[in-house]
Amino acid sequence: EAGVAQSPRYKIIEKRQSVAFWCNPISGHATLYWYQQILGQGPKLLIQFQNNGVVDDSQLPKDRFSAERLKGVDSTLKIQPAKLEDSAVYLCASSPWGGPDRVPPGKAFFGQGTRLTVV
Amino acid sequence: AQTVTQSQPEMSVQEAETVTLSCTYDTSESNYYLFWYKQPPSRQMILVIRQEAYKQQNATENRFSVNFQKAAKSFSLKISDSQLGDTAMYFCAFMFPQTSYDKVIFGPGTSLSVIP
C-alpha cells in the first residue's frame, strides 16, 4: 500500500516568514497526526484529526500555527510568522480507527517528514 | 497524566551482540498499546514491534522482542544479533483510547549505535 506522503522534504525560510506543509495520509485512515520533532528529542504532538475534526490541539501554538484537514483526507500545517525555535522536523502520521472495540488495534504510519530551518 | 520515559539517551553495541533498550510509562489506563519505533537518519519512522496491554505474552518480531512488565509499567526492547542497519534512534510510544480516537505519546528516544 502507498505510504504517508509529505512535501516538501526540506524548507529554509527567514524568521517572520510563513510556510506551509502538506500531508496525504494512507487512504482510508481516519486519524491524522502532525508532530514536531526538535533535533535530539522525541516527536511532540501538535494536532490530531479524527476524519476532518480536531480531537487534540492542546500543544499547538495557536497564535502562529494552524492546520486543516480538507474533506477528512489531505492536511496542511501552516506557520505564520515563523520563529527561530520552529526549526524542526515536522512529521505527519495516519492510522486507521478501529472503533471503540479497537478492531483492528491502532497503529500509526509515518511520512518522511519535512525538515524546516528558520534563519 | 500519561508519560513515557527512556532513561538511556545513548547506547552502543558490538555487531552480532545483544542490546536491551529500556522504557517505562505511567498511566491509569487499563486498555492500551505499546510500541517501539525506529528512526534511522532518513527520518522515516518505522514500527518495530507492538504489544497489546491485555496480552501477557511478550511480542516478538524476528530479532526484536520485548519484555513487558505491566505491573511495573516497563516495556524494554531486546535486539539480538545486532546489525549495522539497526543504528538509529529508537522511540518507545504509548497509545491509549479516548472515547472516539486514540492518543499517542512518545518517549524522548534512545540513540543506538552498532559498532562493527
Side-chain angles (χ1 to χ4, degrees), chain B residues 24-79:
Chain B
T24 58
Y25 59 95
D26 187 25
T27 184
S28 57
E29 303 283 339
S30 58
N31 177 26
Y32 53 88
Y33 304 95
L34 294 160
F35 306 87
W36 279 97
Y37 280 91
K38 169 186 176 181
Q39 187 180 43
S42 68
R43 301 199 309 262
Q44 180 74 59
M45 285 279 230
I46 302 164
L47 179 65
V48 173
I49 199 164
R50 176 180 61 202
Q51 174 80 41
E52 291 91 340
Y54 62 85
K55 288 187 177 180
Q56 293 186 339
Q57 186 174 5
N58 289 326
T60 61
E61 286 287 342
N62 301 313
R63 298 182 296 108
F64 300 88
S65 61
V66 299
N67 183 5
F68 174 46
Q69 301 289 328
K70 190 172 183 179
K73 296 179 182 175
S74 170
F75 182 62
S76 60
L77 174 69
K78 185 172 80 171
I79 306 174

Side-chain angles (χ1 to χ4, degrees), chain A residues 1 4 26 29 31-33 35 48 92-96 105-111, chain B residues 33 35-37 44-48 50 93 95 102-106:
Chain A
E1 67 185 352
V4 176
I26 293 173
H29 281 191
T31 309
L32 186 147
Y33 314 79
Y35 289 90
Q48 180 174 345
C92 178
S94 71
S95 65
K107 184 170 74 173
F109 298 80
F110 284 81
Chain B
Y33 304 95
F35 306 87
W36 279 97
Y37 280 91
Q44 180 74 59
M45 285 279 230
I46 302 164
L47 179 65
V48 173
R50 176 180 61 202
M95 174 184 278
D102 293 327
K103 191 172 177 71
V104 183
I105 298 173
F106 284 85

